[in-house]
Amino acid sequence: MLSKSSTVQGNKIVIYAAIAFFICTLSLTLNRHFSFYSSYDQGIFNQVFWNSTHGNFFQSTLSSQLSTNVIHGGEVPDVEYRRLGQHFTPALLLWLPIYYLFPDPATLTVLQAIFVTAAGLVLYALARIYLEPAIATLITISFYCANAVVGPTLGNFHDISQMPLFVFSLLLAMEKRCWWLFAILAVCILAVREDSGITLFGVGMYLILSRRYPRIGFAVCLGSFLYVLVLTNLVMPLFSDDISKRFMLENFGQYAEGDQASTLEIIFNMITNPGRLIVEILTPFSDTFKYLLGQWLPLAFIPVVAPYAWAIAVFPLLKLFLSQGDLVLSISIRYAISVTPGLFYGSILWWAGQGFGNFKQLIGNCQPRKLRPQFRRFWIFCICLSVFFTITSNPSETLYFIVPTSIKPLVYISAPEQWQHSQKIRTFLAQIPADASVSGSTFIVPHISSRREVIRLPGLEIKNEEQEINQVDYVIADLWQLERYQVVFSNYRDDLNVLTQVISQAISRQEYGIIGFNDGVVLLRKAVDSNPEALKDWQDYFQKIQPIIESHES
């Protein structure tokens, strides 16, 4: 019999951990945003929310700029483009009333911290159904310290941040046999993204394999599978061709045979080519293995031997392992957080003494495993190691003022230096009218995205609601940040070269006049004469960075 004091102590520790997680992640991400480190995706989601509050649901010129019509067809970003053709995310509407009250990009940052913090509390409630407070508390702390949780939370707002909260709540509703809530949460999970049905499919497979609710499990598997197929093949193409002409090719192009492919074609080609399928799952072996180690580490590697962790998490893992690209196996990127619900719930069942050998004991008198002192110390060591790796990886450059971006060559920007530079950006942003069309550099985009017409440089043209193609009214770019980081990131050097050329040409053609320049931040306005002082400062700066541009060209 557990003492009341141990339960109260466990509750207190979890509450303290949740508060600490919320304060740390929120303060770091707000600093990241207001010091101009949040980037393009933050701007996309903010514009989607902003447009939706004004009746233009899911429309985004920033998303249009990434569409196949613009990238491959050479068209101009369109204000009436709906993002649902790229990612089907109706669950975002749940949070629209909150955004309506606080219409700002930072609101999304706060929401993301709330989602993940709340997910940890639901996880604790889920663990306490089976486990003593000591183990349930360690599992919850492991969640708050996992690289796959902290890393994505410290980045831009992303729709997948809703997944742990929805999945843990769904599993808790299942444990309480509250089926009406289970059904609602299943719909919420499907509404997160077009591929979130993969995670729900894993939950259904667990219900079948555990023999707890095989009929419900079969219905969940069938429903989620059909939902993904119908959505990606029939519904999303109604909005745009992006799913077949861009995203399927970018993620699973190795299984495609032409310049477009549907999910049905990709699945068929996977099944009919098992050799390639196995190779894609296992390679690159070192990266795949390191990724799994990163997922297992905060739980002291228990998921390795937890059958139900594999049953639920294997499907989102397969999606990542079968995809191509450098980011899918990054433990700090948003995709990693979709794997965590299965690993943590499976670990709870392992500690409860569950495995494939004792299906029907799950609600019966099975014997929970004991947490021995030696293993407890090892577990705490693994948690600390996970935190250490998270900090040193500096996810999304959020810890830029703590961890140098590079040691050799040394690239480090202190918080005071970045905030001083940020104030100069804000001075120029204040000169742009709220209803003006704007094109900005990547890290400025989130701060100008609360408007109808906004795109990213080097783009200068946009299609308005009258379907007329016009140049944007204002251009604003932060070249200082690109200059500081170009020695480490080659894409920053590419952007610096492209943007300086675009700005110089726009000024020389007298399409735009430069009305402000300070510390590498430049502000242009269409069809006005240049400010002589700002023009001279720009010309001096352009000469200063010429060696960087010339070295890039050579």
Side-chain angles (χ1 to χ4, degrees):
M1 180 72 67
L2 293 172
S3 66
K4 183 177 179 180
S5 61
S6 63
T7 301
V8 172
Q9 184 182 12
N11 293 346
K12 285 183 178 180
I13 293 173
V14 167
I15 291 173
Y16 292 151
I19 293 173
F21 177 85
F22 179 75
I23 292 175
C24 289
T25 55
L26 183 59
S27 58
L28 287 171
T29 48
L30 286 178
N31 175 74
R32 177 180 183 267
H33 174 69
F34 289 115
S35 59
F36 291 87
Y37 274 82
S38 59
S39 55
Y40 199 66
D41 281 355
Q42 186 88 9
I44 288 177
F45 281 106
N46 182 67
Q47 193 188 27
V48 166
F49 272 94
W50 189 89
N51 270 327
S52 296
T53 59
H54 289 78
N56 303 304
F57 291 96
F58 296 102
Q59 291 185 353
S60 171
T61 51
L62 293 170
S63 289
S64 177
Q65 201 168 8
L66 297 178
S67 67
T68 186
N69 290 350
V70 174
I71 293 177
H72 303 129
E75 297 182 12
V76 172
D78 189 346
V79 296
E80 295 184 348
Y81 176 87
R82 296 188 190 274
R83 187 175 180 268
L84 296 174
Q86 293 181 13
H87 294 295
F88 198 81
T89 57
L92 296 179
L93 295 176
L94 293 172
W95 322 113
L96 199 60
I98 298 175
Y99 184 88
Y100 182 82
L101 295 175
F102 307 98
D104 190 273
T107 299
L108 306 185
T109 298
V110 177
L111 283 174
Q112 181 157 281
I114 292 174
F115 294 159
V116 184
T117 303
L121 295 175
V122 177
L123 172 64
Y124 178 71
L126 193 58
R128 283 293 289 118
I129 293 176
Y130 292 105
L131 306 175
E132 61 184 54
I135 300 177
T137 299
L138 275 175
I139 287 177
T140 306
I141 293 174
S142 298
F143 177 79
Y144 285 138
C145 294
N147 199 338
V149 173
V150 179
T153 306
L154 292 180
N156 295 321
F157 176 85
H158 56 93
D159 39 26
I160 308 177
S161 63
Q162 304 165 96
M163 285 294 286
L165 177 59
F166 287 157
V167 176
F168 288 146
S169 298
L170 174 110
L171 293 169
L172 185 60
M174 177 201 68
E175 297 290 356
K176 300 294 185 179
R177 301 186 185 184
C178 185
W179 298 115
W180 65 268
L181 183 57
F182 181 92
I184 291 174
L185 289 165
V187 172
C188 289
I189 291 172
L190 293 175
V192 169
R193 272 169 63 108
E194 68 283 353
D195 55 0
S196 56
I198 297 173
T199 298
L200 189 61
F201 185 91
V203 174
M205 188 59 65
Y206 156 70
L207 295 177
I208 295 172
L209 294 176
S210 66
R211 299 182 187 175
R212 295 187 65 179
Y213 307 106
R215 292 182 179 179
I216 295 175
F218 179 78
V220 169
C221 286
L222 181 63
S224 57
F225 181 73
L226 291 177
Y227 176 83
V228 172
L229 287 185
V230 171
L231 184 65
T232 56
N233 288 277
L234 298 178
V235 179
M236 293 177 67
L238 297 176
F239 297 98
S240 70
D241 295 328
D242 290 298
I243 189 70
S244 60
K245 291 186 177 180
R246 186 186 159 212
F247 288 96
M248 282 294 106
L249 297 180
E250 289 179 359
N251 295 325
F252 306 103
Q254 67 272 41
Y255 308 105
E257 298 177 349
D259 57 359
Q260 63 179 13
S262 67
T263 51
L264 280 172
E265 292 170 334
I266 295 296
I267 292 173
F268 177 79
N269 291 337
M270 286 181 179
I271 295 174
T272 55
N273 195 343
R276 169 173 285 182
L277 193 69
I278 295 173
V279 170
E280 289 292 336
I281 292 174
L282 298 178
T283 58
F285 179 78
S286 60
D287 291 343
T288 301
F289 188 62
K290 285 190 292 185
Y291 181 83
L292 289 173
L293 289 178
Q295 290 279 10
W296 295 333
L297 178 62
L299 286 165
F301 302 99
I302 291 301
V304 180
V305 294
Y308 294 129
W310 285 103
I312 300 174
V314 68
F315 298 101
L317 277 173
L318 282 175
K319 175 186 175 293
L320 297 178
F321 292 163
L322 293 174
S323 300
Q324 58 185 1
D326 299 330
L327 296 180
V328 291
L329 293 181
S330 173
I331 198 73
S332 298
I333 299 298
R334 59 187 179 274
Y335 308 115
I337 203 170
S338 64
V339 180
T340 57
L343 298 180
F344 279 83
Y345 181 64
S347 297
I348 291 172
L349 297 180
W350 184 89
W351 279 106
Q354 304 311 315
F356 288 149
N358 50 0
F359 304 113
K360 294 184 179 179
Q361 295 182 14
L362 212 57
I363 310 297
N365 57 356
C366 56
Q367 293 298 316
R369 292 179 167 89
K370 298 296 183 181
L371 178 61
R372 302 184 182 280
Q374 298 92 331
F375 191 82
R376 181 178 181 274
R377 288 193 290 268
F378 173 70
W379 194 348
I380 293 174
F381 171 76
C382 289
I383 291 173
C384 294
L385 203 58
S386 179
V387 173
F388 173 77
F389 287 143
T390 301
I391 293 174
T392 55
S393 67
N394 190 10
S396 303
E397 296 298 315
T398 301
L399 306 176
Y400 68 89
F401 58 97
I402 300 174
V403 181
T405 302
S406 172
I407 301 297
K408 191 175 182 181
L410 179 62
V411 177
Y412 170 76
I413 299 177
S414 67
E417 182 182 12
Q418 182 63 36
W419 274 95
Q420 185 178 19
H421 176 71
S422 299
Q423 188 55 45
K424 296 168 184 175
I425 301 176
R426 290 192 187 90
T427 300
F428 287 156
L429 289 176
Q431 300 179 39
I432 303 175
D435 58 349
S437 58
V438 191
S439 181
S441 55
T442 297
F443 297 101
I444 292 181
V445 161
H447 301 266
I448 57 177
S449 57
S450 296
R451 64 187 70 235
R452 190 81 171 118
E453 300 178 9
V454 56
I455 53 176
R456 177 169 57 176
L457 283 169
L460 295 177
E461 292 184 326
I462 200 166
K463 185 182 291 186
N464 61 23
E465 292 179 325
E466 290 74 34
Q467 295 300 291
E468 298 172 343
I469 298 176
N470 296 314
Q471 288 188 320
V472 294
D473 299 324
Y474 288 84
V475 174
I476 182 169
D478 180 13
L479 304 177
W480 178 86
Q481 192 172 35
L482 297 177
E483 182 187 354
R484 292 294 296 268
Y485 284 105
Q486 56 84 25
V487 295
V488 181
F489 304 116
S490 60
N491 59 312
Y492 280 44
R493 190 160 53 251
D494 295 339
D495 288 345
L496 182 63
N497 177 45
V498 170
L499 296 194
T500 51
Q501 297 300 326
V502 167
I503 292 169
S504 295
Q505 292 173 8
I507 296 173
S508 63
R509 293 171 181 170
Q510 297 184 339
E511 297 171 341
Y512 289 86
I514 181 168
I515 60 175
F517 183 86
N518 189 4
D519 197 27
V521 184
V522 57
L523 177 64
L524 308 180
R525 184 176 179 182
K526 184 172 67 174
V528 300
D529 294 331
S530 293
N531 179 293
E533 182 178 353
L535 181 60
K536 184 180 184 305
D537 290 341
W538 161 253
Q539 292 170 341
D540 292 341
Y541 177 81
F542 187 77
Q543 290 299 319
K544 187 188 79 169
I545 62 172
Q546 273 299 112
I548 298 175
I549 297 174
E550 291 173 356
S551 65
H552 171 270
E553 292 174 345
S554 62

